[in-house]
Every structure is written in structure tokens, then in C-alpha cells.
Amino acid sequence: MGVQLRSRPLWSGADRLGGVPVRYVSPYRLRGVNSPELLYENIVHNGSVYVAEGGNAQNVYTSPDLKAWTARQVDSSSGLVAGKLAAAGSLLMAVTQYSGYSYLRTSVDNALTWVIQQSISNADIVCSAGGIGYVLSGFGYKEFTTNTAATPAGTARDFGVAQVWRKVLHNGVRWLAVNDGGTMALWSANGLTGWTNSAGLTAALTNLPSTGLRRAFTLGGRFIVVAMSEGTLSALYSEDANAWTVGIVGEMEPTGLRVSGIGESAAELGGLLHIPVKLSDGTSSWNALVATDGIRFKFLPAFWRGAESLPSIRTRVGGGGLIFNGTNQVGMPAAARFESNPDALEVYFAV
């Protein structure tokens, strides 16, 4: 039958990683004006409200609908450290800094009141997975703390292995701690204790390029490690956090462009994971999304051009689409935000 030109919904439907896309029809749209009109990054949801950083260095903002936002002061005398806001179930975690010292603060009442819990290093990493909050050492220690709504003050823990642990993930069954280079991981059945080396990861990595960036994510019940090296993307995936399978090795970037960066965050929509990536032709840069099932990749069109950092991205609660942001885009307001257009189509060649 040869090659056929067809169209399909961009953000839903089966086999969206197949075929050769040639045109996209309205893939993104601008979000409406927020109140107040600020650039919100690192948006989390604690089961009741959205909570976001942005605008005021001493405030977070809460919203039930991503439109009307209310300022909530975290502390009156110290500023928030960007990128360290996390939600572990109903527990909110934020980091403030004063005179060079950082402090973990928590809230269990939708950001209305905050309690200082512990002094932490400026380099420490705050994240959450499976309803558990984590403070990981930024200096390569094996010790860490866990925080939950039941124990917001935190509990001292020990991985048993010293590394710069970057992130903890949860696939619904097991927890996975991944180090800064994406070269080592530990898994646990409860996210607290009993951390065991993910032996299969080391062996699987020998099939990927030895240099470049690696980022770990989850998609449904699957752990995914994405690697970027020499302008290509590769992937490993695992269902049990121990045995790893090699997906694509060296998926090529769009014609004339190279992948120069992978985002820290990713969002699931329609059974695929969407990761912000930086594309470059050697002179100019574009921010775009790449979709993956952990095995294959598909590049989506750029949503703005510029050298600014990659945005945070998340899925609306209830699966209503992706939301992400832009900064300092020429011709756009400083607080410009984007979302996936549910009516978007792509035209593709079916082989």
C-alpha cells in the first residue's frame, strides 16, 4: 500500500510514537491570565490545592484551579530557595535561607502555617515519592531524612551507600533512589529502609554512551532512565527497580538540531511521558517537549525560542492536560504560560 498521509490527535490515542510526523496543528495554547499575574514554577499538588513558587521570595501561592492564587507567607524574615518545594501527600515541604543558612519548613494545612523543622545544607536536595518526603545530602553522604504528614519533623535514615543521591522515585510498588550521575540506584519496598543495590542498572548502562546527562523518571508502573549524549537520546526501563531493559540507543534529534539539555521534571499524559528538552542549531536555542514510553522517543514542536532554562512541567490533576511555562520570551509577557491543546492534530506518514 506504500506510504499514506494521515492525521490523528496529538495528545491521545494509540501508537502515537509510530509513523513520521510532518506537521502539527495548534499543538500548544497560552493559558489565560492568572491572578496575580506571576510566573509560577515548580507547581505541586498536595491532594487539596496546587502550591507554587513565584513572584515573592517569602511567599508560596495556593490555588484550587490554577487561575486564582492566594499568597501564603512561609517566613517573614527569610527567603525561599527556588526549586525545593515538594508535596508528600498532604505534607508540604519548602526550604528558606537566611544569612547563608538553609532551613526545612513544613505545612500540613495547605500552606496556611509553616513550621521550621531542621537546619539543612544549602546543597541538600528536597524531593518526594509515594507520599514520603526526602532530604538528601548534596555532599555525597549516605544519611538522609524522611518526612511525612504523620512525622513532619523527619526521621533520620541511612541508605547504607554514600553517593550524591539526586532523586527518589516511586512506581506504585517500589521506591528507587538514583544518584547524581544516573550510574547507580538503590531500591526499597517501603521507601524508608532496606535499600538494596539495583544491580541490573549497572549492567544495562554498558549498552548506553558512557558520557552525557541522565535523568530518571516514572511512567505508570515503570521506572525510566533517559540519557543524552552527543545530541541523541537513549533509554532504559524497569518494572521492578532491579532488572533493567535497554530501549532505544541513540534516537536521533530533529534534522539540523541537537539535544543540549534534559529537564529535571516530566509529566505523564495519555500513557506517554513528556520531558522538556533544549534543542540547538549551534547558534540559537529552542525549548521543546519529547514524548517517550521508556522505549521509543518522539520530538514535539518547540514552544519558544530562547536561551532561558527549561521549564517545570506537570499534568493537571484529573488528567486535563499539561501545563508548563516560559520566561523572557520576546513579544510575550514575563509570566507567559503554556498548556497542551486538547484539539491539536498531527499530520504524519504511515508506513
Side-chain angles (χ1 to χ4, degrees):
M1 296 178 63
V3 176
Q4 300 180 42
L5 188 62
R6 301 178 182 176
S7 65
R8 61 188 172 191
L10 178 58
W11 302 104
S12 62
D15 197 32
R16 277 170 292 129
L17 298 182
V20 181
V22 295
R23 184 187 174 198
Y24 298 94
V25 182
S26 302
Y28 312 116
R29 64 185 182 188
L30 282 172
R31 284 192 47 76
V33 173
N34 286 348
S35 178
E37 182 69 348
L38 298 173
L39 177 67
Y40 301 108
E41 298 188 69
N42 196 27
I43 299 175
V44 301
H45 196 277
N46 73 339
S48 298
V49 294
Y50 293 97
V51 186
E53 302 174 39
N56 189 307
Q58 294 175 328
N59 291 347
V60 293
Y61 291 80
T62 62
S63 174
D65 59 4
L66 293 169
K67 295 179 181 179
W69 295 85
T70 302
R72 309 292 188 187
Q73 190 176 76
V74 179
D75 184 61
S76 60
S77 59
S78 57
L80 284 166
V81 179
K84 295 190 178 183
L85 174 69
S90 61
L91 178 73
L92 294 169
M93 304 169 65
V95 177
T96 58
Q97 192 172 96
Y98 181 77
S99 296
Y101 295 93
S102 292
Y103 301 91
L104 176 71
R105 298 176 187 268
T106 63
S107 174
V108 292
D109 58 4
N110 295 338
L112 291 174
T113 60
W114 292 83
V115 177
I116 186 169
Q117 298 294 0
Q118 64 191 87
S119 173
I120 66 174
S121 166
N122 296 345
D124 287 351
I125 299 163
V126 175
C127 65
S128 66
I132 302 172
Y134 297 88
V135 179
L136 309 176
S137 168
F139 292 102
Y141 301 135
K142 62 182 181 178
E143 292 81 13
F144 67 103
T145 62
T146 58
N147 303 73
T148 65
T151 56
T155 303
R157 308 285 184 183
D158 191 330
F159 281 123
V161 179
Q163 287 281 318
V164 178
W165 298 107
R166 185 186 188 94
K167 182 186 291 187
V168 180
L169 302 165
H170 184 239
N171 72 339
V173 179
R174 289 182 172 181
W175 282 258
L176 184 75
V178 184
N179 72 348
D180 188 59
T183 58
M184 183 178 184
L186 306 174
W187 67 267
S188 167
N190 59 23
L192 306 172
T193 59
W195 294 91
T196 303
N197 181 40
S198 178
L201 178 62
T202 302
L205 284 172
T206 61
N207 296 287
L208 270 56
S210 59
T211 59
L213 299 174
R214 296 189 181 95
R215 297 286 185 266
F217 306 104
T218 58
L219 173 62
R222 174 175 284 176
F223 295 106
I224 299 171
V225 174
V226 173
M228 184 276 293
S229 179
E230 299 178 354
T232 64
L233 288 171
S234 304
L236 303 173
Y237 62 93
S238 174
E239 274 79 26
D240 65 0
N242 191 46
W244 292 81
T245 301
V246 178
I248 284 290
V249 177
E251 174 85 358
M252 296 303 295
E253 66 282 345
T255 302
L257 300 177
R258 296 176 66 85
V259 179
S260 59
I262 302 175
E264 295 287 348
S265 63
E268 181 178 346
L269 181 67
L272 298 179
L273 192 68
H274 297 82
I275 309 168
V277 294
K278 180 73 72 177
L279 301 176
S280 175
D281 63 359
T283 302
S284 300
S285 297
W286 292 262
N287 285 359
L289 300 180
V290 62
T292 182
D293 59 358
I295 303 173
R296 300 165 294 171
F297 293 101
K298 172 183 174 181
F299 287 91
L300 299 174
F303 50 87
W304 86 78
R305 174 177 175 172
E308 55 268 14
S309 61
L310 288 166
S312 59
I313 185 172
R314 68 158 295 125
T315 310
R316 274 207 203 96
V317 173
L322 303 175
I323 54 174
F324 44 99
N325 54 14
T327 56
N328 302 321
Q329 184 185 12
V330 176
M332 299 297 296
R337 285 163 301 278
F338 298 86
E339 63 184 5
S340 54
N341 182 359
D343 299 322
L345 296 174
E346 64 176 333
V347 179
Y348 70 104
F349 287 113
V351 180

